[in-house]
Amino acid sequence: MANMSPVKNPIPEQDPNVRNKNFLEVSLGYDEATAVDEAQRCLNCKNRPCVSGCPVNVQIPDFISLIAEGKFLEANAKIKETSSLPAVCGRVCPQESQCESKCVRGIKGEPVAIGRLERFAADYAMAHPTDDAVEVPAPNGHKVAVVGAGPAGLTCAGDLASKGYDVTVFEVLHTAGGVLMYGIPEFRLPKAIVQKEIDTLKAKGVKFVLNFVVGRTETIDDLFADGYEAIFVGSGAGLPNFMRVPGEGYNGVYSANEYLTRVNLMKAYKEESPTPIYHAKKVAVFGGGNVAMDAARCAKRMGAEEVYIVYRRSEAELPARAEEVHHAKEEGIIFKLLAAPLEVLGDDDFHVKGVRCQNMELGEPDASGRRRPVPIEGSEFVLDVDAVIVAIGTSPNPLIRTTTPGLETNRKGCIVADEVGATSKEGVFAGGDTVTGAATVILAMGAGKKAAAAMDEYIQNKNK
């Protein structure tokens, strides 16, 4: 019988004043009893609205029912039928705006904690490995390439490997995982978990070629000449945007991409790390999305005494997940809302010494549908900081589009692809941030899944 409580079970977390000084995971996860209790809140609706909110079509009521019965390994297996990265999704997906937003429980109370249950099932399976070998499908005789080992590429590679394809993933960095490794901090997504998910793909036969720059090491056309019958481009959006205000060239100004890569991928947070990074005392972070929250919370953990989020709209317009904003506030991040940076100030040695800002008020809605920030005359003020992190979005690197004749891109430099990922160049499919611009992990995974199905259809039809 379903647990009729309208309130989801809370998840234990590290104390804010302890965790803001370490990089251990903030949320500690459900224990078995709590997971079963939460799973029993599921009403197992006949029309399964939650599934329609999942970009990778996880059969949510089925895996939750298995948890409710104490069948935790079976629950993880059910998730993995459609998702290559359950331990990742359970941690970083915006469930509140996707599957949980469709949950009937949420009409008169709180939705079932689908994300927390997904994380529990995946973590339980990792902690209780079985002797069952990963099933490797019989080879189908076809060879495909995936460019980029981020969430879109990993999902596409996993689905194609399951169909018997010989899959090779080409990754520009020295480690697979893309934004999961370089962008999302350890305290939100432990890298050992990402590596275990990648190791599962390797066990299915997926090959990874690292330190390989498509567009320099080889081009897309070179890969076709190497015998790959179809190529998926999931190279992400790693080119940082800047505000173009005076002083952005001073020492102590980082893009969020660079700062997070140094901290996460290159382990600058470890005492023995050789990675150079400036240990600032006071930091201003420009932006209000999840990346801004990640950068601010990392800066705090790296020893900053004061960390400011400078965002030109109000809290209601913050694009970051509510959970991330809540955690940032708990950890002592200071929110300077309705404030826009005008200039980065520097000292005689060209190092950051402050940020000149202006207070804003909200006017009429702009093209995005959000109320437009309007400067308030005479309201300028200076923040005393010695470092700035710019987290206002990213764009795709132009390398692939400039070295691939016949590949259509839009004015933002994103690859143009249809609903299944097909591009203007025959045999080339694309998905994730390289198509949409910076978006969520789960949307990238959904694009990788659709593209894998389309690539399979393309190759099968071509070889009839």
Side-chain angles (χ1 to χ4, degrees):
M1 181 177 174
N3 174 353
M4 296 311 291
S5 169
V7 180
K8 71 171 78 171
N9 286 281
I11 195 164
E13 297 175 342
Q14 280 196 75
D15 180 88
N17 291 318
V18 173
R19 70 182 191 236
N20 67 7
K21 299 174 185 66
N22 68 54
F23 276 79
L24 301 176
E25 193 165 13
V26 169
S27 298
L28 305 178
Y30 283 155
D31 59 22
E32 293 180 26
T34 308
V36 169
D37 187 62
E38 182 61 29
Q40 289 175 346
R41 293 182 62 238
C42 178
L43 301 173
N44 220 340
C45 308
K46 281 188 177 180
N47 61 350
R48 306 159 78 87
C50 53
V51 177
S52 70
C54 177
V56 295
N57 201 39
V58 170
Q59 298 303 296
I60 294 166
D62 295 345
F63 94 75
I64 290 180
S65 293
L66 289 165
I67 292 176
E69 296 169 19
K71 297 178 179 178
F72 307 139
L73 292 175
E74 292 87 341
N76 183 63
K78 174 57 67 175
I79 298 168
K80 297 207 87 162
E81 287 178 6
T82 55
S83 174
S84 302
L85 308 170
V88 171
C89 292
R91 287 169 164 81
V92 303
C93 281
Q95 290 95 2
E96 68 279 0
S97 62
Q98 294 180 154
C99 54
E100 291 180 13
S101 74
K102 310 283 188 184
C103 179
V104 172
R105 274 277 190 206
I107 296 172
K108 293 186 177 179
E110 290 194 60
V112 174
I114 298 168
R116 295 173 183 178
L117 291 173
E118 181 178 23
R119 169 187 167 164
F120 167 79
D123 287 359
Y124 183 91
M126 285 184 178
H128 299 82
T130 65
D131 294 330
D132 299 337
V134 175
E135 187 176 338
V136 180
N140 66 11
H142 298 290
K143 180 177 165 183
V144 295
V146 171
V147 180
L154 295 176
T155 300
C156 184
D159 280 20
L160 288 168
S162 296
K163 297 176 185 293
Y165 285 91
D166 178 353
V167 184
T168 302
V169 180
F170 295 93
E171 167 57 37
V172 67
L173 296 175
H174 63 281
T175 304
V179 71
L180 306 176
M181 284 292 194
Y182 75 75
I184 302 175
E186 182 80 10
F187 55 81
R188 280 217 293 137
L189 180 62
K191 303 311 160 212
I193 285 170
V194 181
Q195 190 58 54
K196 283 184 179 180
E197 301 279 39
I198 291 167
D199 290 344
T200 299
L201 292 178
K202 289 180 178 178
K204 287 174 71 172
V206 176
K207 297 185 285 291
F208 290 84
V209 179
L210 306 176
N211 301 303
F212 191 102
V213 185
V214 174
R216 284 289 181 268
T217 312
E218 287 191 14
T219 65
I220 293 289
D221 287 331
D222 291 335
L223 293 177
F224 279 124
D226 292 339
Y228 294 100
E229 298 174 61
I231 298 171
F232 175 75
V233 180
S235 50
L239 187 68
N241 299 332
F242 284 89
M243 295 193 68
R244 299 180 182 176
V245 298
E248 273 188 319
Y250 284 131
N251 295 321
V253 177
Y254 290 89
S255 71
N257 241 27
E258 179 188 354
Y259 189 80
L260 292 172
T261 298
R262 287 178 182 272
V263 172
N264 301 324
L265 183 66
M266 301 170 72
K267 312 296 184 189
Y269 67 90
K270 294 186 174 181
E271 285 188 14
E272 69 277 12
S273 174
T275 301
I277 195 166
Y278 180 61
H279 291 269
K281 294 300 181 187
K282 297 181 180 182
V283 179
V285 179
F286 300 165
N290 290 329
V291 174
M293 301 304 142
D294 286 344
R297 296 170 69 195
C298 281
K300 187 76 173 177
R301 286 162 170 78
M302 293 297 288
E305 296 163 5
E306 295 176 11
V307 181
Y308 301 94
I309 290 282
V310 182
Y311 181 64
R312 61 188 189 146
R313 290 184 167 94
S314 72
E315 184 166 349
E317 286 81 30
L318 279 170
R321 294 179 69 187
E323 180 179 67
E324 301 308 317
V325 175
H326 170 69
H327 281 156
K329 287 181 175 180
E330 282 189 326
E331 292 168 10
I333 306 302
I334 304 162
F335 283 72
K336 290 286 185 183
L337 302 174
L338 288 168
L342 299 179
E343 180 183 8
V344 179
L345 306 174
D347 60 22
D348 292 340
D349 294 323
F350 304 102
H351 198 286
V352 174
K353 70 173 185 179
V355 177
R356 184 166 62 87
C357 303
Q358 184 171 31
N359 288 322
M360 313 292 278
E361 59 186 358
L362 294 180
E364 296 301 312
D366 61 16
S368 72
R370 296 179 298 172
R371 293 174 64 193
R372 186 170 60 87
V374 179
I376 298 174
E377 292 298 325
S379 65
E380 293 184 12
F381 64 95
V382 172
L383 279 179
D384 174 23
V385 297
D386 59 339
V388 167
I389 303 172
V390 183
I392 60 166
T394 54
S395 305
N397 189 297
L399 187 57
I400 288 178
R401 66 178 166 85
T402 56
T403 59
T404 310
L407 185 64
E408 184 185 351
T409 56
N410 64 21
R411 63 180 181 82
K412 294 184 177 180
C414 298
I415 296 173
V416 175
D418 67 14
E419 65 277 1
V420 297
T423 72
S424 59
K425 189 174 180 71
E426 184 180 348
V428 176
F429 297 76
D433 290 3
T434 198
V435 170
T436 61
T440 63
V441 167
I442 192 66
L443 287 176
M445 290 176 63
K449 179 171 279 295
K450 287 180 181 178
M455 290 167 74
D456 175 48
E457 183 179 358
Y458 167 77
I459 291 173
Q460 297 307 320
N461 288 338
K462 190 176 179 182
N463 288 274
K464 279 183 178 177

